[in-house]
Amino acid sequence: MQISYWISVFPILLLFLAPGSSTIDNFHQPFPIVEPDPGHTKLRLSREGLEAISRITTPISAVAVIGPYRSGKSFLLNQLLSLSCDEGFGVGHMRDTKTKGIWVWGTPLEMDIDGVRTSVLYLDTEGFESVGKSNVYDDRIFALATVMSSVLIYNLPETIREADISRLSFAVELAEEFYGRFALLPYTNLSCGLLDPNFIENRVKGQDIAFEPAKLLWLIQRDFLQGKSVKEMVDEALRHVPNTDGDKNIDQVNQIRDSLAVMGDNSTAFSLPQPHLMRTKLCDLKDDDLDSMYVKKRDQLKELVASIIRPKIVQGKHLNGKEFVAFLEQILDALNKGEIPSTGSLVEVFNKGILERCLKLYNERMGKLGLPMSEQSLQDAHERSREEAMNAFDEQHFGRHHAKKSADQLDEDMKEAYKNVLMVNEYQSTKLCEELYTRCEDTMDQLQVLRLPSMAKFNAGFQQCNESFDQECVGPSKVNYEQRMMKMMGKARSLFIKEYNQRLFNWLVAFSLVMVVVGRFIIKFILVEMAAWVLFIFLETYTRMFWSAESLYYNPVWHFIVNTWETVVYSPVLDLDRWAIPIASIRKVVQIDQDQIDEEMTVPFGLVPPSDDLRPV
């Protein structure tokens, strides 16, 4: 019985719990779509308002009204919608704000725009500068309304202030920023995440825009303009401020105006007089009771707004209700995460953080270099790292005009960092080249004292020093150390050549005397002894009497002797200076050991030779 009961009830429960099922019966009322959190610092989505928008299947266009609190935004929207205060947006007459967050009129106006059936949503936003809110919250409301809307009505009382211009500049920067970021990404269907097949074609045609910026409408709600039209008033307010003294604050003011210049024909202005002197009674008055000039201008404003409304386009595609909600969710998520800055922190905070990250990227790239390195290679590495850092900044920075100052600052910071890298490279270069120079100097000193002088061995060591220094010594100190090396190596070579000939001459004299002894006492061959005496006399007397040392060294006979000596003493296979003397020493030790063994073998087994201490006196 219980099972059959749940089987019958379960489908009904699913019907109520099914996602996307409508729970609103009357859409002819305002709904909140974005609400503040309890701390009034962030925004969150409201289910009822999103449900009211999601049901729309035709392309959507949004008209948003922004401005200071208590400036009549809600009443203005009711007038544009031809609604009374009782059925339209709530109008408050107290000092606190009536509207919290962003509200939408649940029943859109249907219009044919360029042959496209369009649903026009009217959005009411919470006013700026009310008590108990942070500037970041106001900026997020402003940013969200700017991105969502197709027409942005900037409702201002009496006149234009510098703060109003700053906020409008922020709106322009915001639109440009989203245009730049989203246009680089392939468009995905916002409701299901699928790639739009028309995106590639639109990109080729140059239509891959993120979204078209809203049409900006300055609305001055006063009727005294001192003889000026509202357009003249706006143009005058946006004109450059003279700055002959180069004041930085005025420069910043003019930069804001420069950023507004890109709007061109995308902004207009309109004046609207007071509807009635008794503002607190406006909701109780009919059109006949309102100022006739106001009624006339209000109707003109309706026509103006209708003429500039266009469907919302995101990356070349009109958005229906569900896609518009998904787009809103993405923007709000970016705002709450801080990916979009507030007006006050546009350059100082947001771009500063990006600047620091890009500078860190540059330092990381330069830190991976193996110093020291040549100046040209280091310059090329600097240019590559700088370009990479600047590209990263261009991809992430906020705003086109305001970011130029941050870009210049990043460039200056990278130049300073590069100066430090140059100093480190010079230090490392000096350290390395000094080490190589000292090593070569030690090698030259060792070659000067060869036991068997060899020009071939000296030249091999000389060439090896030059090659290793030329290959390993890099960086800015190389030129200086190359000059030192040339002087040191030149002196070492001259000294070696001078001593080489003299030492070789002495070796030949000693050789002739040795052969005299060998010829007389060892082999006892008179011809060898006589030849040795002739060589000795020739070297010691004839050469000194008739030849100078220089003429001897240039004599062909002497060259033959030198070549023979070099062939015997040094070759790539055998280095006699290194091996001959150690081998002779080892042979001498072995011979001594062998003599001791032979001496011991002559002693009878078991007997010990008497020592000097045991011998009888």
Side-chain angles (χ1 to χ4, degrees):
M1 183 68 179
Q2 291 180 350
I3 296 176
S4 60
Y5 170 77
W6 284 109
I7 292 176
S8 62
V9 172
F10 187 68
I12 300 176
L13 292 175
L14 287 179
L15 181 63
F16 280 100
L17 297 176
S21 61
S22 177
T23 58
I24 301 177
D25 297 328
N26 179 23
F27 287 98
H28 196 70
Q29 59 178 312
F31 297 97
I33 57 174
V34 175
E35 297 176 321
D37 65 359
H40 248 81
T41 58
K42 292 188 177 182
L43 301 172
R44 60 189 180 189
L45 297 175
S46 176
R47 182 188 60 82
E48 291 183 350
L50 299 183
E51 185 177 338
I53 297 176
S54 297
R55 65 189 178 89
I56 302 174
T57 58
T58 57
I60 285 180
S61 178
V63 178
V65 179
I66 59 175
Y69 83 109
R70 308 299 300 133
S71 60
K73 297 186 300 299
S74 300
F75 179 78
L76 173 65
L77 278 168
N78 289 336
Q79 291 288 295
L80 295 177
L81 288 166
S82 301
L83 297 172
S84 66
C85 295
D86 294 334
E87 59 180 342
F89 290 99
V91 177
H93 301 295
M94 306 299 291
R95 294 300 299 170
D96 61 340
T97 59
K98 182 71 174 178
T99 303
K100 301 293 185 181
I102 300 178
W103 289 60
V104 63
W105 180 248
T107 304
L109 297 183
E110 301 294 332
M111 298 178 59
D112 285 327
I113 302 176
D114 297 333
V116 178
R117 190 67 175 173
T118 305
S119 298
V120 183
L121 300 174
Y122 283 81
L123 306 176
D124 191 11
T125 64
E126 185 172 351
F128 305 138
E129 301 171 350
S130 63
V131 179
K133 299 185 305 178
S134 66
N135 290 332
V136 174
Y137 174 79
D138 281 349
D139 291 331
R140 283 180 173 144
I141 290 287
F142 188 96
L144 197 56
T146 302
V147 178
M148 291 169 54
S149 60
S150 303
V151 176
L152 185 66
I153 301 177
Y154 204 165
N155 184 58
L156 296 172
E158 297 184 1
T159 186
I160 301 175
R161 302 171 302 169
E162 189 61 38
D164 303 324
I165 298 175
S166 178
R167 283 197 174 92
L168 181 58
S169 171
F170 173 67
V172 174
E173 297 278 7
L174 184 65
E176 287 184 339
E177 178 62 21
F178 273 89
Y179 177 92
R181 287 191 188 182
F182 289 0
L184 298 176
L185 301 175
Y187 176 71
T188 54
N189 187 294
L190 295 175
S191 60
C192 59
L194 299 177
L195 182 66
D196 186 350
N198 297 324
F199 173 72
I200 302 299
E201 180 182 357
N202 292 336
R203 252 185 103 84
V204 175
K205 295 179 180 179
Q207 302 172 0
D208 53 333
I209 61 173
F211 61 86
E212 293 181 351
K215 187 77 173 182
L216 293 172
L217 173 59
W218 293 88
L219 182 62
I220 312 298
Q221 290 202 32
R222 288 297 182 268
D223 52 2
F224 50 90
L225 297 175
Q226 300 177 351
K228 299 177 182 178
S229 68
V230 66
K231 188 67 170 67
E232 291 174 341
M233 182 182 180
V234 171
D235 291 342
E236 182 178 331
L238 300 181
R239 194 172 296 134
H240 255 233
V241 179
N243 186 19
T244 56
D245 298 331
D247 191 301
K248 292 183 178 180
N249 294 327
I250 297 180
D251 281 341
Q252 186 174 3
V253 168
N254 287 330
Q255 285 179 5
I256 293 175
R257 283 156 174 75
D258 289 338
S259 68
L260 292 177
V262 301
M263 293 303 296
D265 297 331
N266 200 41
S267 63
T268 185
F270 194 84
S271 63
L272 193 64
Q274 286 275 27
H276 197 273
L277 293 178
M278 301 293 292
R279 289 178 58 85
T280 59
K281 302 294 184 181
L282 289 179
C283 287
D284 301 328
L285 301 177
K286 304 298 183 183
D287 280 1
D288 295 338
D289 301 323
L290 299 176
D291 186 276
S292 59
M293 180 57 69
Y294 167 79
V295 175
K296 178 181 178 181
K297 297 285 287 184
R298 180 201 63 189
D299 292 340
Q300 291 177 0
L301 178 62
K302 287 183 178 180
E303 294 176 359
L304 175 61
V305 172
S307 67
I308 61 178
I309 288 177
R310 293 293 181 272
K312 189 66 179 178
I313 296 177
V314 176
Q315 291 183 337
K317 183 181 184 298
H318 294 162
L319 301 184
N320 60 26
K322 291 183 178 180
E323 293 167 341
F324 187 86
V325 169
F327 178 67
L328 172 60
E329 290 174 345
Q330 292 181 356
I331 302 302
L332 183 59
D333 184 59
L335 282 168
N336 285 332
K337 287 181 177 179
E339 296 175 4
I340 301 174
S342 62
T343 310
S345 62
L346 186 60
V347 176
E348 293 77 8
V349 176
F350 185 78
N351 284 342
K352 181 180 179 181
I354 297 177
L355 187 149
E356 291 174 352
R357 292 196 296 271
C358 293
L359 183 60
K360 181 180 179 181
L361 174 64
Y362 171 84
N363 289 329
E364 288 177 350
R365 295 293 183 270
M366 296 298 288
K368 293 179 180 178
L369 299 176
L371 300 180
M373 59 194 310
S374 68
E375 293 175 289
Q376 184 59 49
S377 299
L378 186 60
Q379 177 69 26
D380 294 341
H382 161 70
E383 293 296 337
R384 290 193 301 269
S385 301
R386 176 186 175 278
E387 183 178 2
E388 186 176 353
M390 293 301 294
N391 289 339
F393 181 81
D394 291 338
E395 292 174 0
Q396 300 176 44
H397 76 76
F398 184 84
R400 181 181 305 170
H401 299 274
H402 289 174
K404 185 179 185 303
K405 183 178 179 181
S406 296
D408 293 340
Q409 182 62 45
L410 174 60
D411 199 29
E412 288 298 322
D413 291 344
M414 287 191 291
K415 287 180 180 178
E416 289 298 321
Y418 181 53
K419 290 180 181 178
N420 294 331
V421 175
L422 287 175
M423 293 176 60
V424 174
N425 187 55
E426 185 172 0
Y427 169 76
Q428 294 291 348
S429 175
T430 301
K431 182 179 178 181
L432 176 62
C433 293
E434 177 67 28
E435 180 181 347
L436 293 171
Y437 175 85
T438 304
R439 185 193 307 171
C440 284
E441 193 174 35
D442 293 341
T443 301
M444 292 297 101
D445 291 342
Q446 293 173 5
L447 291 175
Q448 296 292 342
V449 293
L450 291 175
R451 286 166 294 189
L452 297 179
S454 171
M455 181 64 70
K457 185 173 182 178
F458 179 87
N459 289 336
F462 186 91
Q463 183 178 359
Q464 184 179 3
C465 253
N466 270 332
E467 291 178 352
S468 62
F469 181 86
D470 185 65
Q471 294 175 1
E472 298 179 29
C473 177
V474 293
S477 299
K478 183 174 183 177
V479 176
N480 181 36
Y481 274 88
E482 277 182 339
Q483 296 175 352
R484 292 180 58 186
M485 276 286 294
M486 290 176 62
K487 292 181 180 179
M488 185 270 291
M489 299 287 279
K491 289 181 179 180
R493 188 179 186 88
S494 299
L495 181 61
F496 180 84
I497 292 175
K498 179 180 179 181
E499 294 185 353
Y500 171 80
N501 287 292
Q502 185 61 42
R503 292 179 65 189
L504 185 57
F505 185 87
N506 294 337
W507 269 92
L508 289 175
V509 172
F511 175 75
S512 62
L513 292 177
V514 170
M515 292 306 298
V516 169
V517 174
V518 170
R520 170 172 291 190
F521 299 105
I522 298 177
I523 62 176
K524 297 179 180 181
F525 190 60
I526 190 64
L527 293 179
V528 173
E529 180 183 358
M530 291 179 63
W533 278 115
V534 170
L535 177 61
F536 175 78
I537 295 171
F538 173 79
L539 293 174
E540 286 295 330
T541 60
Y542 186 83
T543 57
R544 297 181 186 276
M545 292 175 60
F546 301 101
W547 287 355
S548 64
E550 290 78 7
S551 61
L552 171 65
Y553 302 148
Y554 289 102
N555 190 278
V557 177
W558 179 258
H559 287 173
F560 174 77
I561 295 173
V562 169
N563 291 334
T564 305
W565 171 265
E566 290 291 341
T567 303
V568 173
V569 171
Y570 179 79
S571 69
V573 178
L574 177 64
D575 183 359
L576 198 60
D577 182 76
R578 176 178 298 179
W579 298 109
I581 295 178
I583 291 174
S585 300
I586 294 174
R587 183 177 180 182
K588 183 177 181 180
V589 173
V590 172
Q591 183 64 39
I592 293 174
D593 292 342
Q594 184 64 40
D595 292 343
Q596 291 179 353
I597 293 173
D598 293 341
E599 182 179 354
E600 292 177 358
M601 290 297 293
T602 59
V603 179
F605 181 76
L607 297 179
V608 179
S611 63
D612 294 338
D613 296 337
L614 297 179
R615 290 175 183 175
V617 180

